[in-house]
Structures are given as structure tokens and as C-alpha cells.
Amino acid sequence: MANTVVTKYIECPNLNVFIIKYFFIRNENIKEEISVSKPWLEVLQLVVENVREHHDNGGDLVQAEDVISLLRSFCSDNTIEVPHRLNVLKVLEKSFDLSECDKILLTLYRTQALVSIAWPNTQVNENKINTEESRMQFFSHLLDNSKNKEDYVTLSRLLILWPPVSDTYSLSLESNPLLKVFHSVLLTQDQEAGEIINTIIKQECSHFPLDYKCTEHMIELLCKQNLPIASVKLALRSSHEKLIKQSINLLSNQTQGIDDVDLLQLILSNKLAPQVVSMPVFSHLITYVLQCQGQPESPEYLNPSMIAAQLAEAGFQAEAGSLLLQAKSSHSIVLTFNSALVSVSHWLKKL
């Protein structure tokens, strides 16, 4: 019997009812597709995909809503660990269009999963995340209890996970939630603040999250905190050309922290090598470009020929020529060294 086969291999008993009901409805035996080694989530995914294919092929024995309704009670059961419920909803989200109610559940479980990491004693329920006002109140509570980098990163992930805030919040320097996170970082993290802010934007945000006014505000705050490198990096991550041009000038007299790889990559990816020729950072820029030669899958902006072309076009022919000569010499040395290694390896194998 199909239900016997499935029950035998499901490791999560709470899903047995759904699986059994499904096979009674479909009256199918997929014994060959389910092995002892398959965990319950893979079996569930197999069932859900089977339903979707059945529906896509014009079948009407089982509808998507049948699957979702059978699993809804499982996903709403507070006695079941959040990761299990979250995994089930992810399977459903991948295959079906979820209702608004189910989307709220998905947001709730994802919120619970994140909050449990940084604030394990904080309870999360639907009332705390079902409206923008309630989410912002909950956000403020978590912000007040944030003390380290991990807390701030988690809080930023929550803001990204939740629906985008309205203009009432996003366009205000006082109300923008991400700015509030950054303000708190500046107040509590001292010299590490700039790096934390840039890390959040670089690693957690799929696109630059601040408008012109908010970006300008953050650059000013970072400068006041004596974090010029962080402020330049923030500007270079944005798409605000005016702020980029203004901020790059902050490097004019900087001698500390200008060998920061992230900074060098941002300058190069923004094609700003000509703008820093007269600055101390330029020598570090050239050194970095030469060091990256020969590395597999290097981004195009590290190509010495492209950088030399940018320099020449801006009137820096001498610097462009010097870069090409150094690149050619450096590349030859790398090739010679690699050839020597191959020869030595070949010789050692004969011993």
C-alpha cells in the first residue's frame, strides 16, 4: 500500500497525515521513487512537485490548495520547531503561488528563525509583524537590545526580509530603519563601525539601499567619526555620482588604511584610477593590480590594459605606460616561476 510505504520512510511523523492523504487522493504508488535514505523533506518535495506536474498537465484530481490546506495546520503548529515549518513553507513557495495568509506565515517563521539567533529570549508572533507599524515597533525593541556586530547584521537581515517600508519611513532621516541601525552602530562600535556598515551593505543588500539624502547624511556622520575610508567606500558603493566625486577627494591626504583591498576594488570597479593618480592610494592601487595578475577568474576591472587605457584617456600617458611595462614584466616573472615549478615537480616524480 502506498500509505504504508510512505509512512515507513517519513522521519517527521507530523507530516505522515499529509502524505497518506495525498496518496489516498491520487491512488498512486511511487514506491520506486522513495528510498529508505530519503529524509522527510525530500519526500515532501517529491509529492509537491508531483502535484504541480499533475496540475500543469491538466489534471484535476489534486489542486495546489489541497496541498497547502493539508500542510497549513502543520505550519501553524507551535509545538513543531521553526526550522521544520519554515522548510515546509519554502517547499510550497517554490512550487505554488502562496496566499497572503501563507506569505505572512512564511515571513513570521523566517523572522522567528532570525530572532532566535540573536535574541533567543524574544518571542515573535504574527501580531508583531503583520503591519508596518507593528514591524517598526518590534524593530525598535530589537534595536534597543542590539549590542554587537552580529546583532546589527541580523537586524539588517530582518529589514531586508520584511516588506519594503513606505516612503514615510524610507525618505526620512529620523525614521529610516536602516539609518537607525547605522546610527546605533556608530554609537556603540567605535572604530569598527565603518567596517560593519559597509559589510552590511556589501553582503546583505542586493542593491544599494539608501537614497541620495540618506547616503549624504551617512557620509557626513562617518567623516565626523573620523572614518574617512569607510565614508569613501560607502559613497563608492552607491550610484550617486555627485557623492562619489566629492568623496574620492577625501583620499587626497590619506596615508592610513589606503591599502584596504575592498577600497581598491571599489576604486577600480568604478573606473576611478585616473582620479587618484596624484594621491597616496595610487601606488597601492597599482601594486594590487600587479599582484592580481594571473589569478583565475579575475574581474575585468583588474585588467592592466583597461586601467592603462583609462589613464591614457585622462592624459596620464606616463602612468599608463609604466603600468603596462610593470604588468608585462610581472607577468613574465609569474610565467617563469610557474614553469620552474612544473619542471621541479616533473623532476621530483622521477626520483
Side-chain angles (χ1 to χ4, degrees):
M1 295 291 291
N3 57 327
T4 304
V5 172
V6 175
T7 304
K8 180 179 178 181
Y9 300 126
I10 296 296
E11 299 169 8
C12 188
N14 304 77
L15 288 179
N16 285 352
V17 174
F18 162 69
I19 301 292
I20 292 170
K21 283 184 179 180
Y22 169 74
F23 283 105
F24 274 131
I25 293 172
R26 290 298 308 274
N27 193 27
E28 292 183 4
N29 190 333
I30 58 169
K31 187 173 182 178
E32 295 179 0
E33 297 183 60
I34 301 178
S35 65
V36 176
S37 62
K38 283 192 175 181
W40 66 268
L41 192 61
E42 287 187 31
V43 177
L44 175 65
Q45 193 156 358
L46 175 65
V47 171
V48 170
E49 289 175 355
N50 192 270
V51 171
R52 186 191 62 197
E53 290 173 6
H54 172 73
H55 184 264
D56 290 346
N57 291 330
D60 58 3
L61 289 175
V62 182
Q63 301 295 325
E65 184 54 36
D66 295 328
V67 179
I68 294 173
S69 62
L70 286 170
L71 287 172
R72 193 171 281 126
S73 60
F74 171 86
C75 293
S76 301
D77 189 345
N78 291 329
T79 64
I80 300 171
E81 293 182 9
V82 168
H84 289 321
R85 290 183 279 160
L86 185 56
N87 284 334
V88 170
L89 271 173
K90 285 179 179 177
V91 170
L92 294 178
E93 182 187 37
K94 185 178 178 181
S95 299
F96 305 124
D97 292 328
L98 297 181
S99 67
E100 287 304 314
C101 178
D102 292 317
K103 287 179 181 178
I104 290 175
L105 277 181
L106 184 59
T107 300
L108 173 62
Y109 301 149
R110 284 174 170 164
T111 300
Q112 288 175 333
L114 284 173
V115 169
S116 65
I117 296 172
W119 306 276
N121 297 322
T122 300
Q123 297 297 314
V124 184
N125 55 50
E126 191 173 325
N127 291 333
K128 291 183 178 180
I129 58 107
N130 60 0
T131 68
E132 182 173 66
E133 184 179 359
S134 62
R135 286 192 296 273
M136 290 300 97
Q137 289 177 352
F138 186 44
F139 161 80
S140 296
H141 168 75
L142 296 177
L143 182 60
D144 290 340
N145 289 277
S146 297
K147 300 176 181 178
N148 53 48
K149 176 182 177 180
E150 290 71 25
D151 292 347
Y152 292 120
V153 170
T154 302
L155 197 51
S156 301
R157 288 174 180 169
L158 274 179
L159 292 175
I160 295 167
L161 163 66
W162 290 343
V165 295
S166 63
D167 289 349
T168 303
Y169 290 97
S170 65
L171 300 181
S172 168
L173 296 180
E174 292 75 28
S175 303
N176 184 298
L178 193 57
L179 278 188
K180 286 186 175 182
V181 173
F182 293 163
H183 286 169
S184 185
V185 170
L186 285 170
L187 288 172
T188 62
Q189 303 303 302
D190 300 323
Q191 291 301 305
E192 294 183 9
E195 196 58 37
I196 293 173
I197 290 169
N198 273 283
T199 297
I200 288 173
I201 292 177
K202 178 182 179 180
Q203 297 183 0
E204 306 301 331
C205 303
S206 58
H207 61 278
F208 192 77
L210 303 176
D211 65 10
Y212 184 94
K213 183 172 67 173
C214 292
T215 305
E216 184 178 40
H217 174 69
M218 279 308 306
I219 290 172
E220 291 174 356
L221 288 181
L222 287 166
C223 287
K224 287 180 180 178
Q225 291 282 104
N226 196 27
L227 297 170
I229 301 300
S231 66
V232 174
K233 288 164 63 172
L234 181 68
L236 294 180
R237 294 191 195 285
S238 77
S239 57
H240 309 305
E241 292 295 332
K242 184 178 179 181
L243 294 178
I244 291 174
K245 291 179 180 179
Q246 291 174 350
S247 297
I248 202 71
N249 292 325
L250 293 172
L251 297 175
S252 296
N253 300 313
Q254 286 296 319
T255 57
Q256 300 295 319
I258 53 177
D259 58 347
D260 181 288
V261 170
D262 191 32
L263 172 67
L264 301 177
Q265 290 176 342
L266 286 167
I267 293 173
L268 291 166
S269 61
N270 280 280
K271 300 180 180 180
L272 293 172
Q275 278 69 35
V276 300
V277 167
S278 61
M279 302 179 189
V281 72
F282 185 69
S283 61
H284 294 281
L285 203 70
I286 298 303
T287 300
Y288 177 67
V289 171
L290 296 175
Q291 288 175 344
C292 290
Q293 275 202 105
Q295 292 184 1
E297 300 181 3
S298 290
E300 195 173 16
Y301 62 74
L302 287 175
N303 187 320
S305 297
M306 289 189 60
I307 300 167
Q310 296 167 21
L311 292 169
E313 186 178 352
F316 299 106
Q317 282 82 6
E319 287 79 3
S322 175
L323 172 59
L324 289 176
L325 284 173
Q326 291 182 76
K328 184 177 180 180
S329 173
S330 174
H331 189 55
S332 298
I333 292 172
V334 170
L335 289 177
T336 302
F337 181 69
N338 287 340
S339 299
L341 283 179
V342 172
S343 299
V344 170
S345 299
H346 181 71
W347 180 74
L348 288 174
K349 287 178 182 178
K350 291 184 176 182
L351 294 179

